[in-house]
Amino acid sequence: MTSAPERPQTWQVCIACGHEMVETDPHPRCTRCGGLLEVDHRPLGPSRVDLLRRFTDRRGGGASSSGVWRFKEIVLPSATELISHPEGNTPLLHRAALDRWTGLARLLLKHEGHNPTGSFKDRGMTVGVTQAKRIGATAVACASTGNTSASLAAYAAQAGLPALVLVPAGNVALGKLAQSLAYGAKTLLVRGDFDDCLRLVEQAGEQLGVYLLNSINPFRIEGQKTIVLEALEQLSWTPPDWIVLPAGNLGNTAAFGKALVEARTWGLIDRLPRLAAVQAEGAAPFAQSFREGFARRHRVKAETVATAIRIGDPASYDRAVKAIRETNGVVLAVSDTEILEAKAAVDATGVGCEPASAASVAGVRRLVAAGTIGSTESVVAVLTGHVLKDPGALLAYHQEAEPPPPGANRPVEIDPSLDAVARILGSR
Ligand SMILES: *Cc1c(COP(=O)(O)O)cnc(C)c1O
Ligand SMILES: [Zn+2]
C-alpha cells in the first residue's frame, strides 16, 4: 500500500484574503488580491526538547551553524543548498553606563551590527537569496535605504546572481553605498525618496522578471525572525518583559511579532514579551496610526538623520499592526536629537551603532521616563546596524556641529611636537 503524497510543510498565505500559494511561487504578492504574503509552516514535527537540542547542536560548523539556519525548522525547513556567509550568532551585550542612561536596572543590547555586512538585513537575505536560487531566479533586485542593498549585493555575489539595487540619490549613508559598489551590484541612484524606489522596483519585478528581495518578500521575514529566537535562546528561553526595536519599513516589527507568536505556539516560551517599535519623529506614520488605535494608515514625506528608517509609507504596515496587537505592543516616535544623544551614549561605551539603531535606546529612555516600562523590568533593545555604516553622521556630530552637541568628541590638530601632545594630556 502506498501512502498519500505528503502535504508540503511550507506555504505562502495571503494575510488579506487567506489565498494559499505554493512555497516556490515567485510572485511578491498575493496573486488573487495583491495582499502581503506570509510563510506558514505546518505542522512542526519535533518536540520542544528535540528542537532546542537541534538549535544548539548545529553550532558545530558549516552553513547550518549560522544563527539563521540553526533554526531551520522554523525558517525554511525544505531548503538544502544554503547561501550562507554564515550570519547571525550575534552577541547580547550589557553596559552599565546604558543602564544609567536609560534609567533601567539592566538593559541588554542585541547587536545585529555584528552580522557580515553590518546589519540584521543579512539574516533575511540569506533566506531570500537561498530561495531565489531554489526557484531558479536569473536576477535579484531590491529598493533600499542602504543596508538591504549592501546585504543583497553580498549574498547575490556569493550565489553568482546579478543584483540590481535602487537607492535614493544623495540619501544613502556612505558605508552602505560603498558596500553595494564593492560587492558588485548594479546600483541605481534614483532621483526620489525610498518610497519612490520601492514603487519602481515593484514595477520592475512585475514587468522585467527579476526576483524581488524587498522586505515585502516573506522569506526575508522568516530569516529576520531569528533575531528574536536567538535572543530568547541567549536568555535560556525566559522571555524578557520588553523587546524594543527601530521601525521604518516595518519588516522587522512584523518578523518579531511572528517569531514570538510562533515561539509560544511551539512551546518554546510560555508568555509573550511586549514589543516597542520606535520611529523617528520625521518619519512616524506608524506611530501616528498607533495613537489612533490603528483606525487608519498614514503616509508622510519622511525626513530624519536616521536614514535607515527614513520611510514615509511602510510596506509591511499590515503585518506590523498584527505584531503590535498580538504582543500588546506600543509604537512611539523620538526626535533626531534624542536619536543622536542615544547614539553618542551607545558609541561612548565602545559598543557603537548607526543612527537608526540608536532609536531603540532613545525609545527605552522615553518609555522608562513615561513609566510605560518599569525600571526593574527586563528589556532587550536591538541595535540594528554597525557604527561604521554612517561615517558622515559621525563626523557631522563630533567634528562639525556648532555649537558642539553634549557628546561631541572633537579631534584636535597639533604641530608634530611632544610639547603639543603633553599640553593636550595636561589639559584633560
Ligand atoms: C532596515 C533597518 C531598520 C528598519 O527596519 P524595518 O524592517 O525597515 O522597519 C532599522 N535599522 C537599520 C540599521 C536597518 O538597516
Ligand atoms: Zn490575497
Side-chain angles (χ1 to χ4, degrees), residues 53-387:
R53 203 185 45 240
R54 290 184 194 192
F55 296 165
T56 40
D57 282 357
R58 288 185 185 130
R59 277 180 177 277
S64 67
S65 71
S66 128
V68 172
W69 296 105
R70 290 196 293 118
F71 303 100
K72 181 174 177 180
E73 282 79 1
I74 39 198
V75 171
L76 193 57
S78 47
T80 48
E81 288 176 37
L82 310 179
I83 308 295
S84 170
H85 194 96
E87 49 290 308
N89 294 323
T90 59
L92 195 59
L93 306 172
H94 175 248
R95 293 292 182 273
L98 293 173
D99 296 343
R100 290 191 293 276
W101 195 82
T102 54
L104 273 184
R106 189 175 169 80
L107 172 67
L108 292 174
L109 304 165
K110 179 70 174 158
H111 205 327
E112 289 296 304
H114 288 235
N115 274 292
T117 76
S119 85
F120 73 83
K121 299 299 198 299
D122 293 340
R123 292 194 188 250
M125 211 49 84
T126 180
V127 184
V129 173
T130 293
Q131 178 71 2
K133 279 298 256 193
R134 275 177 94 198
I135 65 169
T138 53
V140 289
C142 72
S144 172
T145 59
N147 280 333
T148 299
S149 57
S151 186
L152 178 69
Y155 282 85
Q158 187 179 348
L161 282 171
L164 185 68
V165 308
L166 281 71
V167 296
N171 270 309
V172 182
L174 208 54
K176 307 176 188 183
L177 182 60
Q179 285 179 294
S180 293
L181 301 177
Y183 299 133
K186 180 55 76 181
T187 305
L188 306 182
L189 307 177
V190 178
R191 294 185 208 103
D193 61 13
F194 170 78
D195 301 288
D196 294 321
C197 295
L198 189 59
R199 253 191 313 277
L200 194 56
V201 82
E202 282 211 46
Q203 288 164 2
E206 241 165 62
Q207 291 171 30
L208 308 179
V210 293
Y211 186 62
L212 270 193
L213 278 165
N214 281 330
S215 75
I216 63 165
N217 181 302
F219 295 94
R220 283 189 46 204
I221 303 270
E222 291 309 290
Q224 289 172 204
K225 289 191 319 194
T226 61
I227 302 170
V228 164
L229 295 171
E230 203 175 84
L232 290 170
E233 182 190 49
Q234 285 164 314
L235 296 168
S236 309
W237 302 97
T238 305
D241 296 312
W242 291 88
I243 298 179
V244 185
L245 78 162
N249 213 20
L250 304 180
N252 228 16
T253 305
F256 281 32
K258 187 169 191 278
L260 289 169
V261 170
E262 290 177 352
R264 187 180 57 182
T265 304
W266 295 324
L268 301 175
I269 53 174
D270 55 11
R271 63 180 177 82
L272 296 184
R274 297 178 71 184
L275 284 182
V278 189
Q279 298 208 285
E281 269 171 11
F286 190 50
Q288 198 178 341
S289 295
F290 172 76
R291 284 194 302 272
E292 299 164 359
F294 294 124
R296 68 187 190 94
R297 182 171 176 170
H298 291 277
R299 291 173 177 79
V300 302
K301 191 86 194 152
E303 192 47 78
T304 167
V305 288
T307 50
I309 51 175
R310 192 175 184 273
I311 293 168
D313 184 14
S316 284
Y317 176 85
D318 294 329
R319 293 172 177 145
V321 169
K322 195 169 148 201
I324 294 298
R325 286 202 168 123
E326 286 175 338
T327 62
N328 187 26
V330 300
V331 187
L332 66 156
V334 295
S335 69
D336 278 6
T337 306
E338 288 173 281
I339 289 174
L340 289 175
E341 277 180 29
K343 177 175 151 53
V346 173
D347 290 355
T349 64
V351 169
C353 66
E354 71 164 276
S357 309
S360 61
V361 175
V364 170
R365 176 144 102 161
R366 264 279 192 100
L367 291 167
V368 172
T372 312
I373 296 183
S375 62
T376 58
E377 286 193 287
S378 53
V379 181
V380 173
V382 180
L383 298 180
T384 45
H386 195 278
V387 67

